[in-house]
Amino acid sequence: MLLQGLKVVEFASYIAAPGAAGILADWGAEVIKVERPEGDPMRHVFGDAKSDISGNPTFGLDNRGKRAVVLDISKPEGRDALARLAAQADVFLTNVRPAALKRAGLDEATLRESNPRLIYTMVTGYGLEGPDAAKPGFDVTAFWSRAGVAHMHAPKGTDPFILRTGVGDHMTSLATVSAILAAVVERQRTGVGRVVQTSLLATGIYAVSSDLAVQLAFGKLASNRPRSAPFDPLANFYRSRDGHWFVLNPRGASNDWQLLCKTFDRPDLPTDERFASGRVRRQNSAALVEQFDAAFSQLDFEEIARRLDAADLVWAPVQTPAEVAADPQAAAAGAFIDLEDGQGGTYRSPAAPARFPGADLDRRPPAPGLGQHTREVLAELGYSGAQIDAMLSAGAAA
């Protein structure tokens, strides 16, 4: 396991921060998930927090292979136990707002006093500084909307639409993992940990950074256009006679334009004055889309796919989630992993998007039940059985 020996204490909820810890767990880190007594809200997505988690694949995705502890940090005993966990950790990962952490004595300065090597990682909506740093944020607000991603993806003149679950969160998870590992490398050199901070806002801006680089340099940016009149009609979505959508994305040189027309029996199009160059094709994009729509509507999808592949053109089918799940290439790319269901069986789940040939995993333990490992972890910290019983009775642990 690549990260064997790396100990992560996660005091977080929802998706972005737990997702980062989940990737680290997949890669071999020991992750202890600390929850408040009510549990991570993501446990409630498909039922009660204490129900069988095999019925909650969303929670299982981000929390598989962790150990779970319940501590109530509003009680001194619960707060002290979390501080003791952090004192033995390599990484403390949280998305709790800084003011609440400060009130509880779980801020970076306090925890570092007993653990100078600690990598203190904070995942926020809007960052740690600035007028809105304290605002709560989810991926649909901070990543999707405020970062400009929603505006850029809605074609001009259409209404904004809601982001699917966890998209911005999981991109932030990846950013957080890379930042943590950079800090681990630095600590190997210096012997001292550091603060690591990521935000949904900054991740969203980076996600559309190719476009925002143009905005920053020139002060303006072209809007997204509808399929019927795209900026580049060659890089567009089309539909076959039998109703299957696919996308074309030819390479930049004009060779692919000529080859595309030849492949679909339209050698006349490159000589049409409306389409003779990239500039005029963009000016007459609606007319060219009509020509392509007519050509593709005469062919079934399998024939279109055969011709595109034979010509080595860049394209892809627009797949439904069910088609993605059945796609043999997705499986070959390592996109799925078997997750134990806690009852002796397994179900498939998305894998972290990296492979390590020779060290790939094909099976992971289930996500833990609420407080499943509280006694075990507290005992490892040196608490006696009587002390643990007292904490449980007082509600400081569960």
Side-chain angles (χ1 to χ4, degrees), residues 143-144 147-149 152-153 167-168 171-172 199-212:
F143 172 94
W144 183 242
V149 188
M152 283 189 236
H153 281 79
V167 175
M171 290 191 67
T172 305
S199 71
L200 293 163
L201 176 63
T203 303
I205 289 170
Y206 187 76
V208 289
S209 57
S210 294
D211 280 323
L212 274 179

Side-chain angles (χ1 to χ4, degrees), residues 130-154:
D132 294 332
K135 291 185 68 171
F138 286 117
D139 68 343
V140 75
T141 56
F143 172 94
W144 183 242
S145 297
R146 188 152 184 180
V149 188
H151 180 83
M152 283 189 236
H153 281 79

Side-chain angles (χ1 to χ4, degrees), residues 55-133:
N56 192 339
T58 301
F59 185 77
L61 165 66
D62 295 319
N63 295 281
R64 59 197 181 208
K66 300 176 183 179
R67 292 196 290 169
V69 173
V70 169
L71 296 172
D72 186 347
I73 66 166
S74 70
K75 300 181 185 300
E77 302 92 334
R79 178 265 167 213
D80 290 346
L82 181 50
R84 286 172 67 170
L85 273 172
Q88 298 182 7
D90 294 292
V91 179
F92 181 79
L93 173 59
T94 186
N95 62 357
V96 177
R97 285 189 271 184
L101 294 167
K102 179 74 173 177
R103 288 193 300 270
L106 297 168
D107 54 293
E108 182 264 340
T110 302
L111 294 184
R112 192 168 302 287
E113 290 177 1
S114 58
N115 186 358
R117 291 175 53 81
L118 185 65
I119 296 168
Y120 191 96
T121 307
M122 305 185 73
V123 180
T124 68
Y126 299 101
L128 295 177
E129 301 175 1
D132 294 332

Side-chain angles (χ1 to χ4, degrees), residues 144 150-161 223-228:
W144 183 242
H151 180 83
M152 283 189 236
H153 281 79
K156 186 176 181 179
T158 64
D159 294 338
F161 50 90
S223 61
N224 207 4
R225 299 186 184 183
R227 191 198 75 85
S228 59

